[in-house]
Amino acid sequence: MKIDVLTLFPSMYRVLDESIIGKALQKGLFAVNVVNIRDYSLDKHKKVDDYPYGGGAGMVMMPGPLHDAIRAVDPEHRAVRIYLSPKGKRLDQKTVIELAGAERLLLVNGSYEGIDERVIQLDIDLELSIGDYVLTSGDYASLVLIDAVARYLPDVLGSESSTEEESFSAGLLEYPHYTRPREFEGLSVPEVLVNGNHQLIAAWRKAESERLTRERRPDLLER
């Protein structure tokens, strides 16, 4: 998979060089191409924003530079073009898995008050939100999306089973985890996890997933 990212802040994506994602990029398991939208501004000062029609606070990203950047990076529209926006469909695990099956993604990141609506109409396939809150830049949401999608690409995690029993994989939150020592600050590992009976362990984990989901995310059970 190739992921193109259009942004005003390319240096933010240096964080992708770290941890599991960084190792996957080094191995060539997928690729990220970061493009500075300002490179497509015709203004001598590389201006990319202007005042909104109708008035109001803040600035809006102009359509010209962004439209030209999208068409230059993806001239044949081979990528799924995604605009990260609080107005978009809320990102969930089902969407993550679907996007992981694409050959190419193009992520468009707005700043200030957002982007000109005409770019969305002309160039965007999907608007996505990572939650019901507002960020200073879509880049934070893009980083979340890249990480979430990359985990489902072949060999990135090293084991396909790593994504099979985690939160949301079966519509439930994940069960609690424990490791050594068996006793810590007066708290013990549940006896069922140390008795070696895998059938009982599986039943306990399922029950704990259902309990946590019922307590913390009952909306998942309703679905």
Side-chain angles (χ1 to χ4, degrees), residues 58-168:
M59 306 287 277
V60 176
M61 290 179 65
M62 295 153 46
L66 195 48
H67 175 73
D68 290 346
I70 292 170
R71 295 301 174 94
V73 171
D74 183 31
E76 298 179 355
H77 201 155
R78 294 181 179 271
V80 179
R81 298 173 177 178
I82 302 169
Y83 172 47
L84 284 305
S85 162
K87 296 185 295 183
K89 168 190 172 183
R90 184 183 290 189
L91 181 66
D92 57 22
Q93 204 73 354
K94 180 176 180 291
T95 303
V96 167
I97 294 170
E98 289 173 354
L99 292 176
E103 291 185 7
R104 188 172 174 186
L105 304 178
L106 189 155
L107 309 184
V108 176
N109 298 286
S111 292
Y112 316 121
E113 292 300 310
I115 69 176
D116 191 293
E117 184 69 20
R118 290 165 292 186
V119 173
I120 298 173
Q121 294 174 353
L122 291 169
D123 299 311
I124 299 301
D125 299 317
L126 177 64
E127 288 187 72
L128 283 180
S129 167
I130 63 169
D132 296 338
Y133 46 86
V134 179
L135 302 169
T136 56
S137 167
D139 295 287
Y140 299 103
S142 272
L143 288 166
V144 168
L145 180 59
I146 291 169
D147 186 279
V149 168
R151 297 177 73 258
Y152 281 88
L153 300 179
D155 301 322
V156 168
L157 295 184
S159 171
E160 292 183 5
S161 63
S162 297
T163 58
E164 291 176 359
E165 294 186 359
E166 60 189 7
S167 290
F168 310 112

Side-chain angles (χ1 to χ4, degrees), residues 28-81:
L29 300 180
F30 74 108
V32 176
N33 174 43
V34 181
V35 177
N36 192 335
I37 299 167
R38 294 187 190 277
D39 292 342
Y40 293 87
S41 173
L42 300 179
D43 181 80
K44 65 179 181 179
H45 300 297
K46 297 300 180 183
K47 181 180 179 181
V48 295
D49 62 323
D50 211 331
Y51 295 103
Y53 277 114
M59 306 287 277
V60 176
M61 290 179 65
M62 295 153 46
L66 195 48
H67 175 73
D68 290 346
I70 292 170
R71 295 301 174 94
V73 171
D74 183 31
E76 298 179 355
H77 201 155
R78 294 181 179 271
V80 179
R81 298 173 177 178

